[in-house]
Amino acid sequence: MAKVKSGEIFKDISKQITESQVWTSTFRHGYADTPRNRVLQIASNVWLHLHPVKMHRHALRIKFTWCMGGITFLLFLSTIVTGVILMFYYRPVGEYAYYDMKYLQYDVPFGMLMRNMHRWAAHAMVITVWLHMFRVFLTGSYKPPREFNWVIGVFLVTFTLLLSFTGYLLPWDQLAMWAVTVGTNMARATPFLGHEGPFAEYVGVTPRYDARSVLIGGSLVGPPALLRFYVLHCIFIPLVAGGLMIVHFWRIRKDGGISGPL
Amino acid sequence: MAQAKAVSKATPAGKAGSKDKKEEQVDTLWSRRDFFSYAGWASFLGAVGLSSLYFTRLLFPRVLFEPSPIFKAGNPMDYTVGEVSTKWVNDQRVWIVRDDEGIYAIFALCTHLGCTPRWLRSENKYKCPCHGSGFTREGMHFEGPAPRPLERLKIALAPDGQLIIDKSKKFLYEKGQWGDPGSKFLI
């Protein structure tokens, strides 16, 4: 009680938080507000200097990195460019989506090329992101001080898969419908939040109000699901993934460049 | 804080001064400055928290433009004893089974991954084309990857003498609900 009254308890709690591993690997040291640090804030800004000022010679060896991270980012950029071009024709409405997709393929000049580039870049991105993760694992680059960046990378893998999954519904054909029906059925079994999952009876979720219905905007994969997946696919997930990529690249530099050969 | 301590150690006057200050503050949990700082943060976090709640609620519309889960399945006498009727599978995804005791409705949705099984009359079983799950006439799983029996649906008699089936109310065997009222229409 004395602790509460004197405010000591806040100090104790903040100490517990700031000394945890999650906190210390996120914020390595305090910020000293000096003129030098203010200049460095600008000079080492990730928007101005994506690449480090100096690099290790071994960082250029293709045999070590396979260029997989860079290739993944390049593929991400190509899906953005081709995806924005596809948005000029595609309407995420039940009546139009399938025909817009066919229109793009057969009647829009270079439409087939754009759609296939988008599709194949997305497939390739999933493959290269796994290979990148495989390389990082084999070279032990997930170890401290890079453990924070590994966690960011795990989030990025997840968002890459979510981008693929949400994009899968957009052609609005039988394959998409049923793949997403089966895929979103998994959300029924989410612990606490899915109506068929463990502990659902304590939370009181129903088929009408649970993790699955929020994802597809109803109780079956219909036009609301198409619109929701479209917004997630084109806006929400790319923004989050893009933000995480910025942190991911910046963190490489902060952790002393890419890891050296063992 | 550390600086103040260093000063208080160096000069006795400073020590006395800090002691007075401490006594002054002994009944005060927060200074005025702290209070306004916490109040500011609390209102900011409160606003963010509340708008997150509103946004979460916004994602669940009050009206869904979906087909009604309730349909009428004709007169009970349309179904013959010992038969599995596939009359409603295409439109409603429901089999209607009549046995000696009464009529029940089985939801034609594989409990493995949600494909539509087929009723194979000659083999007396429902068979899923996707991964080969098989179910008996009653809906019990006996082969393939399906982890649990098919689901039964609520069945009753409407005032106009027709069977009425509600697909939003399910009866699960593994929860012991197949004997519950509404799971079977007894004749």
Side-chain angles (χ1 to χ4, degrees), chain B residues 2-23:
Chain B
Q3 266 182 344
K5 236 180 198 171
V7 170
S8 70
K9 261 182 189 171
T11 60
K15 196 177 182 179
S18 77
K19 207 177 181 182
D20 285 349
K21 214 177 176 186
K22 218 175 190 180
E23 265 166 30

Side-chain angles (χ1 to χ4, degrees), chain A residues 40-52 73 76-77 80 238-251 253:
Chain A
L40 281 176
Q41 259 188 343
I42 304 301
S44 59
N45 190 305
V46 73
W47 297 107
L48 302 177
H49 299 273
L50 191 63
H51 278 103
F73 183 55
F76 179 70
L77 289 181
I80 285 189
L239 273 182
V240 176
L244 285 175
M245 278 176 206
I246 290 174
V247 180
H248 198 63
F249 302 152
W250 172 73
R251 204 62 244 181
R253 256 198 298 151

Side-chain angles (χ1 to χ4, degrees), chain B residues 171-182:
Chain B
F171 295 93
L172 308 185
Y173 173 81
E174 65 271 23
K175 290 191 178 170
Q177 293 169 333
W178 276 9
D180 287 3

Side-chain angles (χ1 to χ4, degrees), chain B residues 110-114 133 135 141-150 173-174:
Chain B
C110 183
T111 50
H112 177 224
L113 285 175
S133 297
F135 305 87
H141 58 310
F142 69 95
E143 62 179 358
R148 55 196 184 89
L150 293 171
Y173 173 81
E174 65 271 23

Side-chain angles (χ1 to χ4, degrees), chain B residues 76-77 81 96-105 152-158 161 163-164 178-187:
Chain B
M77 294 306 135
V81 177
I96 298 193
V97 189
R98 170 86 200 258
D99 63 14
D100 297 332
E101 295 173 328
I103 300 175
Y104 51 89
R152 290 192 186 177
L153 305 171
K154 188 179 177 188
I155 188 164
L157 203 64
L163 286 171
I164 189 160
W178 276 9
D180 287 3
S183 63
K184 194 169 184 177
F185 173 65
L186 300 170
I187 295 176

